[in-house]
Each structure stands twice: as C-alpha cells, then as structure tokens.
Amino acid sequence: MHTILSLFLTSLLVTIVKSTPPTLAGDIDIIKRDVAITGGGAGGIYCAISLQDQGKSVIVIEKKDRLGGHVETYVDPGTGIAMDYGFALFENTSVVNDYFARFDIPLVKIRQFNITWSTYDFRTGKTAVPSYNPSREEVLAAFATYFAQLARYPELEQGIFLPSPIPEDLYMPFGRFVDKYKIHAAVPTMFLLNAGVGDLLSNAVLEVFRALPRKLVEGVLTSTVLTPANHTVIELYRRAEAELSSTSSLFLSAEVVETHQITLLVRTPTTDGKLTLIQAKRLLIAIPPNPALLDPWLRLTPTEHSLFTRYISTGLYVGLVNGTRLPPTAGILNLAPNHTMYSFPYLPDTEAAVRHHMLDDIRRIQRENPDRFPGTGAPAFVAFAAHAPYNLQVSGEDIKNGFYERLYALQGEMNTFWTGSAWAADISGDIWKFSRGVVLPMLVGEL
Ligand SMILES: Cc1cc2nc3c(=O)[nH]c(=O)nc-3n(C[C@H](O)[C@H](O)[C@H](O)COP(=O)(O)OP(=O)(O)OC[C@H]3O[C@@H](n4cnc5c(N)ncnc54)[C@H](O)[C@@H]3O)c2cc1C
Ligand SMILES: *[C@@H]1O[C@H](CO)[C@@H](O)[C@H](O)[C@H]1NC(C)=O
Ligand SMILES: *[C@@H]1O[C@H](CO)[C@@H](O)[C@H](O)[C@H]1NC(C)=O
Ligand SMILES: *[C@@H]1O[C@H](CO)[C@@H](O)[C@H](O)[C@H]1NC(C)=O
Ligand SMILES: *[C@@H]1O[C@H](CO)[C@@H](O)[C@H](O)[C@H]1NC(C)=O
Ligand SMILES: *[C@@H]1O[C@H](CO)[C@@H](O)[C@H](O)[C@H]1NC(C)=O
C-alpha cells in the first residue's frame, strides 16, 4: 500500500507541476498554504495561531476529532459542567499569560485544596509510612540547591541548548547527582510532581531538569501556578478550533497517508474518501518523533530514524473513578516501604494492568480499612485516558555523545521543522516558549 500510494503521489506531483488533468481534478482537492502542521496539541496549535496572527496561511492536520492532545475533559452529565482531568497547571510566564490573553481566557492561581493525604501500600491495602520523611524545611533547602544547579545552565530556559563540552553533571544518573549535591530531601516531592518519568534516579540529570523545570516546580511549591479561571483548559482548544475552522485551516479526524518532501496527501472524513493534496512551503511536525507514529506517512531520513529510535518513553494514565467512598477532601498515595530509601511505589507497566490496578487497589484499600472507607459504593471508571508515549527522553550516554545537538540540526532540513515536548520539556509553557523563541523565527524567516 505504501508503495502504491507513493507511486500515485509521485506521478501526481509530476502532473501537477505540468497542469492538473481533469480526470484527477475530480478525485482530489488541492490546497496551498504557507505552513502545513501535523498534530493539533500544545505545540502545533500554538504555532498555528501565532502564524495566522503573523498573516501566514496554515493547515493543521489532527488525527483525533478534537484539538488539545493530552488535554482531557469530563463533562458531568447531571450538571453539564466541564472539567479537565490530569492537565491543569501553567507556569506564570509571559508566554503563558500572552497566549491565554490572546484567547481572552483569564488565568487564576490554582486553588489551594485542603486535602488530607494518607499513604497506603497499594499491594497490601494497608496503611504504610515512608521510610524517609524529610521535614518541609529540608525539602525546601534541597530544592533551593536544585534550582541553584539549574541556574548554571541559563540556556536551558529556551530549549535543550547545552554547554560544550557537555559537563558530566548533565548526563550522570540523577541518583548520583542527588548524592553529589545532597538533595535527597527533594526526591519524594519530585516523584510526586511528575510520576510519569520512569525511574527518576536512573534518568540522566538533563532529563530530570527537562521534566522538572524551575518555574513549574517553584510555582507548585509556592501555590502560584496558574490555571484557567473556569478550570477548563479545553476552552483554549475549543476557541482555537473555532478560529482555525473559520479560515478553513483545520482538518480533524484526518490522516496524512503519504508525503513527498513537503507535499502531503491527506484523508479527511468529510470528502467521501477523496484525498486532499496539500502544497505547503513549510512543514511543521508537532507530534512526538516516535518512529511508530511517523513511519506510516513520513519517509524518515536515515539520520532522523537513527535519532528517533534512541528515545525512551513511558505512559501516563489518568482515570476518574466514582464509588471510592473517600471523603471529598481525602487523598490517598501509594508507597512501598523500603523500596529504595524513598519508598517508591511499585507501578504497573501496561495499560491493561494500570486499568486493573486503578479499581482493584481501591477495592483492596476499602476492604482493609472499613473504618476509613465507610459505606458500600464500589469503584467504577467514569473516565479514563491513556497518554503514551509520554516523557520522551534519551540516555546519559546519548546526551554525552551529542544527541540533542544532532536533533536540533534537523530543524529546517528540507523545509521541515519540529516542535513539541521532545524538543523542549513535556510542559506546555516550555513548548510554547521554545516554539516562539526558536522554531517560529527560523520557520518564518524566508516565508
Ligand atoms: C496526564 C497529564 C497531565 C499533564 N499535566 C500538565 C500540566 O498540568 N501542565 C503542563 O504544562 N503540561 C502538562 N502535561 C504535559 C503536556 O500535556 C504536554 O507537554 C503537551 O501536551 C505536549 O504537547 P505536544 O504538542 O508535544 O504533544 P500533544 O499535545 O500530545 O499533541 C500531539 C498531537 O498530535 C496528534 N497526532 C499524533 N499522531 C498524529 C498523526 N499521525 N497525524 C496527525 N496528528 C497526530 C495527537 O492526536 C495530538 O493531538 C501533562 C501531560 C499528561 C499526560
Ligand atoms: C466559562 O464557562 C462558561 C460556561 O461553561 C462558558 O460559557 C464560558 O465561555 C467560559 N469562559 C471561559 C473564559 O472559559
Ligand atoms: C503572575 O506573576 C505576576 C508577577 O509576579 C503577578 O503580578 C501576577 O499577579 C501573577 N498572576 C496571577 C494570576 O497570579
Ligand atoms: C483542613 O482540613 C482539616 C481536616 O478536614 C481541618 O481540620 C482543617 O481545619 C482544615 N484547614 C483549613 C485551613 O481549612
Ligand atoms: C459510577 O459511574 C457508573 C458509570 O457512569 C455508574 O453506572 C455507577 O452507578 C456510578 N456509581 C456510583 C457509586 O456513583
Ligand atoms: C524497613 O526497613 C527498616 C530498617 O531495615 C525496618 O526496621 C522496617 O521494619 C522496614 N519496614 C518495612 C515495612 O518493611
């Protein structure tokens, strides 16, 4: 199928350059844009809106039936109230404030919930206490040291720009860095702030810096992170969707079936199987650079392939569960006493196991603690979302060997540009800053 389509496209391209024969004109729509953008998540939509605001024409191709990528929204059937689950926090930075203001969406400091946490070993359902439990002062002091180390690399604020030669501090395993700078007291909180990063202590320091950037961590520690006043990040994407649709700049539920340099052949749901040919001056890829996601439609160069296969990723899963019998302001945390000094919990490793554990572990905790979980409700999913691949990162060895310099060298090759979490950090504010400061100036340059 791949070969047939590529033959089809190649011959089509040749004919288009000459003139469009009437037989083909009936079978295919042709549209021309300054920039074609694949992926309608955080990075893709930021760039699409910025480009439109600069007077450029764009087309966004998103495979889902809505924009927003990882943003997930649950609408309560009783009240009609929409709420995001999983995704909510933004750093208080100029790019975040400018972008939300652009859509007239007010931001507020995140509400401080008065949650009473208790800890259980989810494997047994019994209460458990962490083997190591630093005081708040110790935690803050350790974070201050962490921030001071981060501040040695100011170029990381804009993207993954590293000093040359790359200091060992950036590629050693984070566990060694923790010992070196004696910041053990920050580790339990770091785990809670971003539990989706895999084995925190084995990850390279740079990857921890990317996953836990100063602005966000500081914002969470001081309760100054921002969230939309309505508690619906999805509102941003609904407004972007309306704007892009009104200028015929959006294909939802669409699939790129083939590309030839920066000409894309796209299948959209509205055209009875008729394909659309997009001729763009630039291509911006805003989906994770995962060969499994790209190979079906993009012919990766050997360099791209060799870089993208280096990525290690995890999955992050979010569920809304009712029938927990938890009081409204109670929170439960999983930990495994003496599993490393930090009592890290054991985590399931497949989506099926995650779904199973989410309910089964709550049932077990209910059963083991009847006094704390009174009543008879049984847990059931109201909503569930899988986020994979999440947290694309590379090994310390790859960092040392110049992975990120080679990755960044791809920008602009064959008029193709890249943005998204793999290029900055897995945090929208950082992706927007990187898109605004690095990608868009290069991309717009000669348009
Ligand atoms: C549970 C959870 C909570 C989070 N909480 C926060 C938070 O509070 N604050 C924060 O800043 N960040 C948060 N993040 C991180 C944030 O969601 C990501 O950093 C951000 O969404 C990444 O943006 P992106 O543009 O790289 O990718 P995405 O937002 O994932 O966008 C990629 C898009 O490409 C589409 N796509 C994939 N393949 C194709 C294809 N072949 N053709 C067309 N389209 C395709 C996808 O459907 C998706 O819409 C959270 C993430 C998760 C999973
Ligand atoms: C807030 O919510 C209301 C009702 O759901 C909606 O009509 C309105 O557009 C929202 N405003 C913003 C800024 O999100
Ligand atoms: C963001 O930070 C600025 C400057 O520190 C502050 O004035 C502003 O109130 C903050 N925004 C919110 C919504 O808290
Ligand atoms: C927080 O909740 C606890 C337990 O429910 C309660 O005793 C305490 O007064 C609350 N604190 C605030 C500031 O609301
Ligand atoms: C939980 O939600 C499910 C699915 O919506 C519903 O069938 C069930 O009755 C709910 N249970 C409780 C305790 O609210
Ligand atoms: C954890 O290890 C300590 C010290 O070895 C021991 O005293 C304690 O009983 C252990 N706790 C559990 C729950 O295994």
Side-chain angles (χ1 to χ4, degrees):
M1 176 168 158
H2 187 85
T3 327
I4 293 169
L5 277 169
S6 56
L7 282 176
F8 168 61
L9 185 64
T10 314
S11 61
L12 186 69
L13 280 171
V14 173
T15 37
I16 285 165
V17 174
K18 291 177 190 156
S19 69
T20 313
T23 45
L24 274 174
D27 302 318
I28 198 153
D29 286 330
I30 297 172
I31 66 169
K32 297 186 186 207
R33 292 290 186 278
D34 290 327
V35 187
I37 301 173
T38 54
I45 296 309
Y46 181 85
C47 290
I49 294 293
S50 303
L51 286 164
Q52 279 210 341
D53 286 350
Q54 293 175 45
K56 310 296 177 198
S57 62
V58 302
I59 183 80
V60 175
I61 302 127
E62 165 57 49
K63 78 173 174 189
K64 291 193 204 160
D65 63 0
R66 57 150 185 100
L67 297 179
H70 288 307
V71 178
E72 295 285 345
T73 310
Y74 171 72
V75 182
D76 183 275
T79 60
I81 292 174
M83 64 178 135
D84 293 307
Y85 62 101
F87 187 129
L89 309 179
F90 299 90
E91 311 101 291
N92 184 353
T93 57
S94 65
V95 70
V96 166
N97 284 299
D98 293 351
Y99 192 39
F100 279 93
R102 158 75 181 66
F103 287 99
D104 208 14
I105 296 178
L107 291 170
V108 294
K109 285 200 185 77
I110 190 104
R111 219 178 342 148
Q112 286 203 50
F113 294 99
N114 180 15
I115 295 177
T116 311
W117 292 102
S118 28
T119 45
Y120 296 87
D121 184 337
F122 282 18
R123 295 169 307 165
T124 61
K126 296 199 188 333
T127 54
V129 289
S131 354
Y132 170 60
N133 198 7
S135 70
R136 181 157 173 88
E137 288 66 35
E138 288 169 318
V139 172
L140 294 179
F143 272 109
T145 306
Y146 173 77
F147 293 146
Q149 286 305 314
L150 254 176
R152 293 174 57 200
Y153 312 100
E155 52 282 87
L156 279 179
E157 296 259 314
Q158 194 59 256
I160 314 173
F161 296 105
L162 306 176
S164 176
I166 300 171
E168 192 188 358
D169 265 10
L170 286 178
Y171 60 77
M172 64 169 62
F174 188 62
R176 267 200 17 231
F177 184 89
V178 168
D179 290 340
K180 180 171 175 183
Y181 295 102
K182 302 189 172 45
I183 56 170
H184 306 84
V187 172
T189 307
M190 287 179 163
F191 179 84
L192 290 180
L193 285 177
N194 196 347
V197 300
D199 184 355
L200 177 66
L201 298 175
S202 310
N203 292 349
V205 173
L206 172 67
E207 302 299 0
V208 177
F209 284 179
R210 285 178 59 219
L212 296 167
R214 174 172 190 147
K215 275 278 176 193
L216 193 74
V217 174
E218 233 170 23
V220 173
L221 292 176
T222 58
S223 300
T224 53
V225 275
L226 307 182
T227 198
N230 262 8
H231 298 283
T232 52
V233 181
I234 200 69
E235 185 66 22
L236 177 85
Y237 290 99
R238 288 185 184 143
R239 291 179 188 197
E241 185 175 320
E243 267 191 43
L244 292 169
S245 301
S246 74
T247 53
S248 305
S249 305
L250 177 61
F251 287 136
L252 288 173
S253 307
E255 180 194 5
V256 183
V257 288
E258 182 66 78
T259 51
H260 188 268
Q261 295 181 346
I262 50 172
T263 299
L264 314 183
L265 196 57
V266 178
R267 181 177 293 122
T268 68
T270 50
T271 46
D272 291 333
K274 197 163 86 167
L275 298 172
T276 300
L277 189 76
I278 299 171
Q279 294 179 308
K281 296 179 189 154
R282 304 277 186 276
L283 172 60
L284 176 65
I285 301 179
I287 68 180
N290 178 308
L293 292 177
L294 297 174
D295 269 339
W297 60 276
L298 189 71
R299 277 176 247 172
L300 295 179
T301 64
T303 309
E304 287 166 349
H305 194 85
S306 72
L307 288 169
F308 298 165
T309 47
R310 304 306 300 166
Y311 279 115
I312 309 156
S313 65
T314 57
L316 195 57
Y317 305 86
V318 186
L320 272 182
V321 173
N322 68 4
T324 62
R325 289 187 241 152
L326 270 173
T329 58
I332 58 173
L333 290 175
N334 186 9
L335 60 80
N338 292 352
H339 178 214
T340 81
M341 82 177 258
Y342 306 103
S343 309
F344 287 141
Y346 290 93
L347 295 176
D349 57 6
T350 64
E351 183 177 332
V354 168
R355 290 184 74 106
H356 169 79
H357 276 283
M358 278 185 177
L359 300 185
D360 203 50
D361 292 356
I362 296 172
R363 272 186 224 115
R364 188 175 309 108
I365 294 166
Q366 290 178 336
R367 203 165 53 231
E368 293 294 326
N369 305 275
D371 50 325
R372 289 166 176 241
F373 297 85
T376 54
F381 278 116
V382 175
F384 178 87
H387 302 275
Y390 178 72
N391 196 253
L392 271 67
Q393 58 165 309
V394 296
S395 70
E397 194 61 18
D398 284 345
I399 293 169
K400 181 182 171 187
N401 293 334
F403 174 87
Y404 283 109
E405 204 185 331
R406 280 185 288 143
L407 183 76
Y408 273 30
L410 297 179
Q411 293 284 6
E413 262 187 23
M414 294 183 297
N415 288 315
T416 301
F417 295 81
W418 307 81
T419 193
S421 57
W423 303 80
D426 214 337
I427 286 159
S428 346
D430 280 50
I431 295 169
W432 299 339
K433 191 161 61 173
F434 174 72
S435 299
R436 177 163 88 173
V438 179
V439 182
L440 288 173
M442 282 173 84
L443 184 152
V444 171
E446 287 152 39
L447 261 188

